[in-house]
Amino acid sequence: MTADHTPRIVGTVWGLLILNTLGSTGAQTIVPLPRSLIQMVTMGALVAAFTLALAVNLRLRVRPGAYVFLLTLLLVPSVLSSVHLESGFGALFRCARLGLFVATLWLLSRWWDGGTTFVRHHIRMYFAVLCSVAAGAILSPGAAMPELYGGRLVGALWPLTPPQIGQYAAVITGLAVLLVLGRRTDGRSAAVVVVPALVLLALTHTRTATIGLIAGLVLAIGSLVLTSAAARRFFAWTVLCAVVAAVGFGSLVQAWFLRGQSQENFTSLTGRAKVWDALLAAPRTATEYLFGAGLGDKSFGGLPIDNSWLAVYHEQGVTGVVLVTAVFVVLGGVALLRPPSLSRACAIFLISYCAIASYTEAGLGDASPYLLHLAVAASLLAAPAAPEAHEAPDTQEAHEAPDAPEAHEAPAAREHEAPAARGLPGAPAAREPGDAPAVPGPSLPRQARTPEVT
């Protein structure tokens, strides 16, 4: 299997990884699902993903890369902080999950060749998740937009929170737009994905996803402006529409962003700042400062942290923060050094989106959709792999069909062969006894030999 042809089973493995990262917390679904059942499904999906990835890559061929290597190093502080069981046995379980997640990425890295294969897998799988959200909203609008979440859209068939839905919608919208600008898909196919995704994003009232989508597209399209006329036109129209929306619908946009919150609640990021201040003020030992308190549920004092950097600091210490910082530095640096291309633009979008979302969302230190987004970015920035020489001898001989009759000639016949028969330039034509002298004539242009297809 060469790097140019990705097996279909790889798409299945990617879908199972996405299923594993959907989580088990959210609003009440139409059909109540026990949390233990959801956890069994998500963990079973990860085990199945690893098994299938191992089955399709039995020779354990991997592509060395800084991203997966840094994730492997992130396991060290995770395990060292979790063995003390300060966060309970669940910390060791989360370490095992992260280890299996990283191992699956190592197995899939064989097919990271700078192409858009994993971008398409990413869009298809998250679009399927959004279709389940839309189906739940149609079947039970009350359950899909409960008062508990302020009327924001949630998952009614599978427990999904508004930030999750907004994240998925924003990511596939940005990637689909870039595929259109890169002429890897047509506008009609992209509209099938973009229009429903934007509607769901608007219904979730997710500010982080919206800002990440806009900023990520600006940076990604900006990297294509000098080389793509389509990118320049799209950028100009986007700026024009943004100005018109800001002038004509400024009050509606402001109401959408505020979500009925007070100015104080809005400036404190819905109470997140209070949790952050308490986390930073909490006393820590030297071991906790270096390696954290162990992998947990990304909460402090019973309240969600909702910040990737502080969550990593709390659970994996300063060591984890340094490794996560190195991930962004390496991926961002490689993206800046690449020449303008569609793959580079998609990688810039994913990296910038994850960097922006990390301020109000957790997940960079554990198996999460954000690590999958960055894995797609790493696959886009990977150099194309050289074809693997693994063809069977009979297959190689079959490719040599045009010269096959000459290959079976006797060596003696080749030794006494006339120079002209061997096709040497400037050699006189061979003459048989009794032939008339050759009369020089006009030289005719040589025609290229068309090999026969056998």
Side-chain angles (χ1 to χ4, degrees):
M1 183 63 60
T2 65
D4 296 330
H5 298 85
T6 305
R8 294 183 178 180
I9 197 172
V10 171
T12 304
V13 174
W14 198 255
L16 291 172
L17 288 178
I18 289 177
L19 176 59
N20 172 256
T21 58
L22 291 182
S24 58
T25 59
Q28 186 69 29
T29 56
I30 299 175
V31 178
L33 299 175
R35 187 176 182 183
S36 58
L37 175 62
I38 298 174
Q39 291 176 337
M40 186 183 304
V41 171
T42 55
M43 193 59 196
L46 179 59
V47 174
F50 175 78
T51 304
L52 291 177
L54 185 62
V56 77
N57 192 4
L58 285 175
R59 297 184 180 181
L60 302 180
R61 295 177 179 174
V62 299
R63 297 202 63 187
Y67 173 68
V68 188
F69 177 71
L70 289 172
L71 290 186
T72 306
L73 292 181
L74 190 61
L75 283 169
V76 176
S78 303
V79 174
L80 291 178
S81 59
S82 299
V83 293
H84 298 291
L85 300 180
E86 293 183 9
S87 300
F89 287 97
L92 292 178
F93 177 81
R94 292 182 177 91
C95 286
R97 179 195 176 207
L98 179 59
L100 202 59
F101 183 88
V102 174
T104 306
L105 292 181
W106 271 117
L107 294 173
L108 293 181
S109 66
R110 174 184 175 183
W111 294 279
W112 293 2
D113 56 0
T116 58
T117 300
F118 283 89
V119 172
R120 298 182 184 276
H121 290 326
H122 217 54
I123 293 175
R124 292 191 191 105
M125 299 307 169
Y126 278 122
F127 183 70
V129 174
L130 293 181
C131 286
S132 70
V133 175
I138 295 174
L139 293 175
S140 179
M145 290 180 283
E147 291 297 331
L148 180 63
Y149 285 86
R152 302 170 65 189
L153 182 65
V154 299
L157 297 181
W158 185 275
L160 296 173
T161 61
Q164 284 181 281
I165 301 172
Q167 174 196 163
Y168 307 153
V171 167
I172 68 172
T173 297
L175 293 177
V177 168
L178 293 175
L179 288 181
V180 172
L181 296 180
R183 297 184 178 181
R184 298 299 177 86
T185 187
D186 58 282
R188 183 176 301 177
S189 300
V192 173
V193 174
V194 172
V195 174
L198 288 178
V199 172
L200 296 181
L201 175 60
L203 293 176
T204 60
H205 291 265
T206 307
R207 297 178 291 232
T208 301
T210 304
I211 296 174
L213 171 62
I214 296 173
L217 279 180
V218 168
L219 294 175
I221 296 175
S223 68
L224 295 173
V225 165
L226 297 179
T227 59
S228 172
R232 290 191 291 270
R233 289 193 299 268
F234 183 85
F235 186 80
W237 278 105
T238 302
V239 171
L240 179 61
C241 293
V243 171
V244 172
V247 174
F249 306 98
S251 58
L252 293 177
V253 173
Q254 183 180 6
W256 185 86
F257 264 90
L258 288 177
R259 298 193 309 231
Q261 297 176 342
S262 62
Q263 190 68 24
E264 180 183 359
N265 200 14
F266 179 75
T267 54
S268 64
L269 298 175
T270 322
R272 291 184 177 96
K274 299 178 181 179
V275 180
W276 300 346
D277 294 338
L279 187 150
L280 292 173
R284 294 177 179 272
T285 63
T287 303
E288 291 177 343
Y289 177 77
L290 289 176
F291 304 115
L295 291 182
D297 57 357
K298 313 298 178 289
S299 65
F300 179 79
L303 297 175
I305 298 175
D306 285 341
N307 182 290
S308 288
W309 303 99
L310 292 179
V312 171
Y313 171 71
H314 176 62
E315 296 183 353
Q316 291 146 314
V318 175
T319 306
V321 173
V322 171
L323 291 174
V324 173
T325 303
V327 168
F328 281 97
V329 171
V330 170
L331 291 180
V334 173
L336 291 177
L337 294 176
R338 287 283 189 270
S341 65
L342 174 63
S343 297
R344 177 182 182 241
C346 291
I348 289 175
F349 169 76
L350 291 171
I351 296 169
S352 57
Y353 180 89
C354 291
I356 293 171
S358 66
Y359 185 67
T360 58
E361 298 291 338
L364 289 178
D366 204 348
S368 68
Y370 292 105
L371 293 190
L372 290 180
H373 301 334
L374 294 177
V376 175
S379 73
L380 291 166
L381 297 174
E388 300 173 10
H390 70 285
E391 292 182 321
D394 54 345
T395 306
Q396 294 178 351
E397 292 177 1
H399 291 309
E400 299 174 357
D403 299 327
E406 299 176 4
H408 295 288
E409 294 180 3
R414 288 181 176 270
E415 292 178 2
H416 298 286
E417 191 177 23
R422 292 198 296 265
L424 299 179
R431 297 175 57 191
E432 295 292 337
D435 286 350
V439 179
S443 59
L444 298 177
R446 298 181 60 185
Q447 297 180 355
R449 178 183 177 186
T450 304
E452 298 179 0
V453 180
T454 59

